Amino acid sequence: MSNMRTIEKIIPPPAIHWVGNGFRVHNFFPSGTDLSMYRMSPFFLMDYNSKHYFEPSETPRGVGVHPHRGIETVTFAYHGKVAHHDSAGNAGIIGEGDVQWMTAGGGVLHKEYHEKEFNRAGGFFQMVQLWVNLPAKDKMTPAKYQGIENKDMGKYFMPNNLGVIDVCAGTYKDIKGPASTFTPIELYNCKLKKSAETNFSFNRNYNTAFLVIDGKIKINDISIADTNHFILFNNDGEDINIEALDDSLILVLSGEPIRETVVPYGPFVMNTREEIIQCYNDYNEGKFGYLEN
Ligand code: MN
């Protein structure tokens, strides 16, 4: 009996929209496709800035001060540099291969910009931002920040120098990732040389998808996915094989779904409408703290 996971669909990048003046993104979910917003739980949102050249600029590019509650924002940098500041006093700059993991929890204000020197020099920019939902019992957890540099990731080196898998969260073939998470989550960056093959095995009920950041891959010996395509898997098996048809980089995400009603509104993801109203009341009363623009 095959225990292979089959592909539900391969989604080409949806039309871009701008987040602030710095992030030129394809939204793969919840709104970029006909996917139900619950389909990828515990992942609530994925914005993907595909590789794009930004001209040198003296004008700051990014998103100004705004609140979040009820989620974690997880940013992966592939090209360019992103700077972050928040009202909990955390700040950081991430570059190629790094991840910033901000737990908004009960509430935080933050701003996200192209790092100053990168902005001034211009260059290629490519990144992913995920919103990871928090279960009801952890919605109001204190804000937290994990700056995860590439060197801190778990590293699985493939035999014969055919690639490396950076484990950010979860465990790949006994290699553990450094991120602390509230629910079971697997997040890896897989750098594969042309012709490298590897395999994954995830719990059948875990919602699972790949994003091809660079290159081209063949999945389960039959389906081919190109750069900037999103591969959503059915929950019908555990095992997935991939072969790199070119030098490739793939973001792998898999997680145990949070089976709770979600009420999202703007930057907030809560469980009831009353909790959303509370977000706005608390925000207007300054309970998210203070951060200078
Ligand atoms: Mn934000």
Side-chain angles (χ1 to χ4, degrees):
M1 272 277 282
S2 167
N3 194 24
M4 200 72 94
R5 247 184 207 259
T6 60
I7 292 174
E8 180 173 321
K9 57 178 104 178
I10 297 179
I11 302 168
I16 66 118
H17 71 271
W18 286 87
V19 179
N21 65 349
F23 303 96
R24 179 188 178 273
V25 303
H26 312 275
N27 180 260
F28 279 104
F29 60 87
S31 63
T33 68
D34 60 352
L35 297 178
S36 139
M37 64 172 65
Y38 307 111
R39 177 63 184 86
M40 276 303 292
S41 176
F43 308 103
F44 179 77
L45 173 147
M46 180 191 258
D47 273 344
Y48 172 47
N49 192 127
S50 56
K51 192 175 173 187
H52 178 75
Y53 181 78
F54 282 87
E55 298 287 344
S57 174
E58 294 297 324
T59 309
R61 278 191 286 230
V63 197
V65 175
H66 61 279
H68 287 293
R69 176 181 281 176
I71 54 167
E72 302 181 282
T73 64
V74 180
T75 308
F76 295 79
Y78 296 100
H79 283 97
K81 288 184 173 175
V82 186
H84 158 99
H85 293 84
D86 68 43
S87 56
N90 296 304
I93 292 168
I94 58 163
E96 186 176 339
D98 303 334
V99 174
Q100 60 188 16
W101 195 301
M102 186 193 75
T103 307
V108 77
L109 304 176
H110 78 158
K111 54 182 179 180
E112 303 158 276
Y113 278 96
H114 292 211
E115 184 272 332
K116 214 171 173 179
E117 292 309 315
F118 169 76
N119 195 50
R120 194 165 279 161
F124 283 105
F125 190 77
Q126 187 177 21
M127 57 131 257
V128 167
Q129 185 167 90
L130 284 173
W131 290 11
V132 177
N133 193 21
L134 290 169
K137 69 176 180 50
D138 295 315
K139 287 275 183 212
M140 297 302 283
T141 192
K144 187 171 85 173
Y145 180 82
Q146 303 174 71
I148 303 170
E149 289 183 40
N150 188 266
K151 66 175 170 52
D152 302 327
M153 305 253 180
K155 301 268 178 186
Y156 175 82
F157 293 96
M158 294 184 52
N160 304 319
N161 214 12
L162 278 171
V164 57
I165 297 181
D166 289 343
V167 183
C168 176
T171 307
Y172 180 74
K173 298 189 196 286
D174 294 330
I175 305 290
K176 283 192 189 335
S180 85
T181 67
F182 287 82
T183 60
I185 285 170
E186 306 286 327
L187 282 170
Y188 323 139
N189 273 318
C190 306
K191 283 170 268 186
L192 305 177
K193 297 246 174 78
K194 185 175 177 172
S195 85
E197 285 188 55
T198 193
N199 54 75
F200 304 90
S201 187
F202 300 114
N203 243 316
R204 183 179 305 243
N205 69 318
Y206 279 29
N207 291 324
T208 300
F210 295 169
L211 176 63
V212 183
I213 302 291
D214 192 20
K216 185 192 273 204
I217 59 171
K218 189 190 257 186
I219 304 123
N220 296 342
D221 284 327
I222 40 171
S223 303
I224 291 175
D226 220 326
T227 306
N228 298 342
H229 284 57
F230 182 84
I231 304 130
L232 175 66
F233 290 93
N234 285 309
N235 295 76
D236 59 352
E238 296 180 344
D239 302 331
I240 301 168
N241 288 312
I242 60 173
E243 179 191 349
L245 300 179
D246 234 320
D247 289 354
S248 297
L249 175 55
I250 305 120
L251 174 62
V252 171
L253 50 158
S254 183
E256 184 179 80
I258 299 169
R259 300 194 190 282
E260 295 172 350
T261 304
V262 172
V263 180
Y265 200 92
F268 308 122
V269 181
M270 303 302 288
N271 301 110
T272 66
R273 190 172 168 272
E274 289 66 33
E275 287 169 350
I276 291 291
I277 293 166
Q278 192 65 46
C279 286
Y280 282 92
N281 290 340
D282 290 350
Y283 176 64
N284 289 331
E285 287 171 23
K287 289 185 180 166
F288 284 64
Y290 176 75
L291 183 64
E292 202 168 327
N293 242 314

